[in-house]
Amino acid sequence: MKFAYIDESGEQDQGDVFTMAGILVDAVKLRKWTDEFDKKLKEFKRLHPASPDDFKTKAFITGRGGWRKIKAENRKQFLRDICFWIAVCGKVYSYGMSFTAFKEAVANNDNLPDNQDNYWVASSLFIASVIQKKNQKEVKNKGHTVLIFDDNKQHMPKLSDGIYRADEWYDSLYAVPQKKSRQTVWTVKPDKRFDQIINSAFSINSKHSSLVQVADILSYIYRRHLELFNEGEAYNGEQVYYQELVNILEPKRQKLGQCPNEPSVKFYKAVKHANWEI
């Protein structure tokens, strides 16, 4: 059994960037990694008694609320340490899109699956598809993956419905290549659609889950990294910092890789942020 803890960052009234990211860990090490993150956060708060109880990455790194009493370099170093820790304990799954590109793609695509015109659902099903693709290749796969998100009552039923229905539109994202008559044929058997994913997603309050807080860190780092491509020289120092964090994480980020040039693949390539590699 595997658990993927996932969160998102970005709203349409905040800018053009939306990111969704998470960490996937094996069940046998779930308690170990949860305890380790709890200890790291507890130790940071012990060294900095002014720390607020609630940990939200944006407030933390920008020094909002009680976090402003802690030196910026101390906060930045904590995120560096967490990124190095993430690179050891799990695999990273994420997606970065442009709201503008998403709206255009939805308007120009007929016959999209139900709820694919919802950016949150579309992003979560992309991540589910990449998890499906990677896990179905494991020779000694010890179980399916449970998707766990920060509390989101509005979209969770739509995601669960999408996984349960397993529309063939998503096949090309995780189809298996086979050679036939010197041609590559991409196939997915109907009973294998999203068969690596537990067909009901779950949500949990981030205060009750350390690894959802880790997912919040991941999603905000990737979001800010993409936003900074358009910020200009005035933000050069911040650009360097977030590039450093992304460089730590990228070797662990699972990418889509080779796929047939079918509608679902075209869609996700069209809506991604210009500087995002899938």
Side-chain angles (χ1 to χ4, degrees):
M1 185 70 72
K2 301 175 180 66
F3 292 86
Y5 291 84
I6 304 166
D7 200 4
E8 77 277 358
S9 185
E11 298 289 347
Q12 295 183 68
D13 60 355
Q14 298 173 342
D16 191 48
V17 178
F18 176 80
T19 56
M20 182 174 282
I23 181 171
L24 184 145
V25 297
D26 288 323
V28 292
K29 294 185 178 179
L30 181 61
R31 175 53 59 188
K32 170 184 170 65
W33 299 132
T34 299
D35 288 347
E36 282 197 11
F37 179 75
D38 287 343
K39 289 176 182 177
K40 290 178 182 297
L41 188 57
K42 184 177 180 180
E43 177 62 13
F44 183 87
K45 290 183 175 182
R46 185 188 69 80
L47 295 172
H48 306 283
S51 302
D53 292 332
D54 190 25
F55 183 89
K56 290 293 184 182
T57 308
K58 183 176 181 179
F60 174 81
I61 196 60
T62 57
R64 294 184 180 180
W67 297 116
R68 69 179 180 275
K69 299 178 181 179
I70 301 168
K71 292 182 180 179
E73 186 52 47
N74 291 337
R75 289 183 270 115
K76 291 169 70 175
Q77 185 57 49
F78 179 76
L79 286 192
R80 283 193 194 95
D81 292 342
I82 294 301
C83 286
F84 279 118
W85 173 78
I86 290 171
V88 171
C89 72
K91 296 178 181 178
V92 174
Y93 288 84
S94 55
Y95 186 70
M97 74 162 56
S98 158
F99 282 120
T100 301
F102 182 78
K103 291 176 183 177
E104 291 177 357
V106 168
N108 294 326
N109 278 269
D110 297 325
N111 303 317
L112 290 174
D114 290 346
N115 300 313
Q116 184 63 20
D117 59 350
N118 179 302
Y119 65 87
W120 192 98
V121 176
S123 296
S124 57
L125 283 170
F126 177 84
I127 289 178
S129 296
V130 180
I131 292 175
Q132 169 75 20
K133 184 169 188 174
K134 300 301 180 180
N135 287 357
Q136 70 188 3
K137 295 179 181 180
E138 292 189 8
V139 177
K140 296 182 179 180
N141 195 336
K142 296 182 179 180
H144 298 166
T145 297
V146 180
L147 303 182
I148 303 175
F149 292 78
D150 192 9
D151 196 14
N152 193 318
K153 296 180 177 62
Q154 179 182 0
H155 299 310
M156 289 299 295
K158 298 175 183 178
L159 169 59
S160 292
D161 188 57
I163 296 171
Y164 179 76
R165 288 174 179 267
D167 195 294
E168 62 182 309
W169 186 85
Y170 300 96
D171 284 3
S172 56
L173 296 169
Y174 55 83
V176 177
Q178 295 179 336
K179 286 288 185 181
K180 291 186 178 181
S181 301
R182 297 183 180 181
Q183 292 184 336
T184 300
V185 178
W186 302 80
T187 61
V188 175
K189 295 179 180 179
D191 63 339
K192 297 297 183 181
R193 290 183 175 127
F194 285 127
D195 70 333
Q196 299 297 314
I197 311 292
I198 298 297
N199 63 10
S200 182
F202 298 86
S203 64
I204 190 171
N205 191 311
S206 61
K207 293 180 180 179
H208 303 154
S209 173
S210 297
L211 295 186
V212 168
Q213 294 176 36
V214 172
D216 178 67
I217 291 172
L218 283 169
S219 61
Y220 183 77
I221 287 173
Y222 278 120
R223 171 192 164 191
R224 192 62 188 136
H225 177 249
L226 292 178
E227 289 175 338
L228 287 165
F229 278 106
N230 302 319
E231 294 287 5
E233 294 182 2
Y235 292 84
N236 183 60
E238 194 179 2
Q239 288 173 337
V240 170
Y241 173 66
Y242 280 97
Q243 185 64 61
E244 177 189 354
L245 299 184
V246 167
N247 288 345
I248 297 169
L249 297 170
E250 278 298 276
K252 300 296 288 191
R253 183 164 74 88
Q254 306 300 296
K255 298 176 183 177
L256 188 60
Q258 187 179 13
C259 292
N261 195 30
E262 297 294 331
S264 61
V265 177
K266 291 179 181 179
F267 180 89
Y268 282 107
K269 287 182 177 179
V271 306
K272 74 178 183 65
H273 187 278
N275 296 99
W276 185 261
E277 181 183 353
I278 63 171

